[in-house]
Amino acid sequence: VPVRAKSVHCSIFFFSLYLLSPSFPAPRSPPRSAPPRLGVGRLRVSRISMREALETLVLNPASALTAAVAYGLMLRSGATFGSLLNPWALSLPLWVAGYLAVRMALLGFVDGFVWALAPRLPALPSRVGPKPVFQHKINATDVAYLIVNSTVEYVFALQISHLLWFAPLVVRAPTSLSLLNGPLAFWMLLVVDDMLYAPLHRAMHLQAVYRWVHKHHHRNTFPARGYIDAANEHPVEQIAALCLHWVAVHVVAHTAGLHVAAVLAHFGVKALGACFNHTGYDVQLRFCGIEYSVRAHETHHRKPNTNFAQYVMFWDKLMGTYKEYESGVKASAAAAATPANLSKPDAARLPAWADPAVEAREGRVTERPQPRAG
């Protein structure tokens, strides 16, 4: 299939390389002032969570719509499902070996780097209050999403490597690297990607969409597990967001020009940014209009109708959705802390819709029971 045709039929399934490694285990006994530990923790598997995984992945109108669009694009381009999953025509053993190799190769680069550096960084102010913050416990639904998304990420790795190797729109020769297709293209990838993603992210918070797709990711108000919390999203969300990532690559390639080095640098920065955004460590970076901070993304998890962009907060300021960071810890709370209440999460800091009794009893988040009318 020609590269131009492949860019059409694969656009719905082009998933970013930025989340391709599992989380490192956390160090034991962190100090009280440290954010919650990186890692999965105790896995809670129940019939309820397994049924939820099946229902939300399969019996979901968003999943059905995504599958229908993907099927239509494949019919239009004459592509096959096999060429979508395996553009290099690898044998099954090689395909599986590649999956394992990609994840192991990126283990240290992404979450490994976060795990090595994060403990040397200051904690966010919200993570050093007198009470521990709410942490959603990983269950069967989360594991199902993570497994599906890891496969999706590998398929994208195959597709993007095929594009970078064959597509004429990407410059590959080391001697052809220039200021325009290198540093400027890298900056444009960050800006254009967020320009497309921020409105999509905001749309996923619309009431008609939120319950089917994005609500799962917001089960954790204070994400702390790096890759695990970053990748713990509905696959439809990943597909939609990373289709726009693929569009951004083509937009930049057809404007400033695009060297393969800029694409790889963008993947690396985006990978680290996604993982750090879902830790409790205070990372901030500002240059040339790029405004990245973990504070901004934690604010989004705590106040979901704010800060939809990832690292170019200009787009939120333009939409009127930008909000400055607040720790959420009152000074009076620290003074009133006692050994008896330090060991239990503060129910007032759960998601507003959550039932703290269910979380304490079963390790899962569900809506508070609504009072019956009359």
Side-chain angles (χ1 to χ4, degrees):
V1 180
V3 171
R4 185 178 296 271
K6 288 179 66 62
S7 68
V8 174
H9 82 260
C10 291
S11 61
I12 195 65
F13 274 97
F14 278 177
F15 317 115
S16 175
L17 200 60
Y18 68 85
L19 296 174
L20 285 172
S21 67
S23 182
F24 270 79
R28 294 183 178 180
S29 302
R32 171 65 191 92
S33 60
R37 301 184 300 175
L38 299 175
V40 179
R42 180 178 295 179
L43 173 62
R44 301 214 177 199
V45 179
S46 66
R47 291 182 180 179
I48 294 176
S49 59
M50 293 176 68
R51 183 175 70 247
E52 180 190 31
L54 176 63
E55 291 176 350
T56 58
L57 283 172
V58 180
L59 306 178
N60 186 324
S63 300
L65 177 62
T66 302
V69 171
Y71 182 67
L73 290 172
M74 287 191 293
L75 285 180
R76 181 179 178 181
S77 63
T80 65
F81 190 64
S83 66
L84 179 67
L85 297 181
N86 188 8
W88 291 94
L90 302 173
S91 65
L92 180 59
L94 281 178
W95 194 95
V96 174
Y99 170 84
L100 297 174
V102 165
R103 298 196 67 78
M104 293 184 66
L106 294 176
L107 186 67
F109 175 69
V110 183
D111 231 28
F113 181 82
V114 171
W115 178 83
L117 180 62
R120 296 171 172 80
L121 300 172
L124 288 169
S126 62
R127 311 303 175 98
V128 295
K131 293 186 178 182
V133 297
F134 166 76
Q135 274 290 299
H136 164 72
K137 297 177 176 64
I138 300 296
N139 59 28
T141 302
D142 303 309
V143 173
Y145 283 15
L146 289 166
I147 291 173
V148 172
N149 286 338
S150 70
T151 305
V152 161
E153 292 155 4
Y154 175 56
V155 170
F156 175 73
L158 294 174
Q159 290 286 355
I160 197 66
S161 62
H162 194 273
L163 176 79
L164 296 179
W165 189 264
F166 291 108
L169 56 87
V170 178
V171 180
R172 289 172 285 275
T175 55
S176 299
L177 179 65
S178 68
L179 182 64
L180 195 63
N181 65 25
L184 179 61
F186 165 72
W187 179 84
M188 287 185 64
L189 283 171
L190 293 171
V191 173
V192 174
D193 187 25
D194 242 16
M195 178 187 72
L196 299 172
Y197 176 76
L200 170 71
H201 191 181
R202 189 178 186 181
M204 287 192 291
H205 280 265
L206 296 175
Q207 186 175 4
V209 180
Y210 184 74
R211 61 172 295 203
W212 297 110
V213 179
H214 196 50
K215 183 178 178 179
H216 179 87
H217 187 67
H218 276 273
R219 290 181 172 196
N220 218 344
T221 308
F222 294 87
R225 289 176 284 244
Y227 169 82
I228 296 297
D229 285 346
N232 192 6
E233 61 186 6
H234 196 287
V236 167
E237 176 179 348
Q238 189 182 55
I239 290 170
L242 300 178
C243 282
L244 298 186
H245 180 106
W246 179 258
V247 171
V249 168
H250 284 73
V251 168
V252 174
H254 288 290
T255 51
L258 187 60
H259 195 279
V260 65
V263 179
L264 297 177
H266 180 227
F267 285 148
V269 169
K270 193 171 181 179
L272 293 173
C275 286
F276 272 116
N277 261 346
H278 295 83
T279 68
Y281 296 97
D282 197 2
V283 181
Q284 300 184 56
L285 180 64
R286 291 176 174 85
F287 68 94
C288 301
I290 306 301
E291 187 177 348
Y292 171 83
S293 79
V294 178
R295 293 184 175 211
H297 196 69
E298 187 192 85
T299 298
H300 171 72
H301 272 264
R302 291 164 51 196
K303 302 180 183 299
N305 290 321
T306 65
N307 297 359
F308 296 106
Q310 301 172 91
Y311 29 68
V312 185
M313 304 314 296
F314 167 78
W315 302 121
D316 275 290
K317 294 174 182 178
L318 188 65
M319 294 189 297
T321 55
Y322 179 72
K323 183 173 179 59
E324 291 285 351
Y325 177 81
E326 298 173 358
S327 70
V329 179
K330 297 180 181 179
S332 59
T338 65
N341 63 27
L342 286 179
S343 61
K344 297 184 293 184
D346 187 351
R349 297 173 74 185
L350 289 167
W353 47 265
D355 186 339
V358 174
E359 164 60 26
R361 183 176 65 251
E362 302 179 22
R364 62 187 180 91
V365 182
T366 188
E367 289 84 354
R368 297 173 184 268
Q370 298 298 321
R372 294 183 179 179

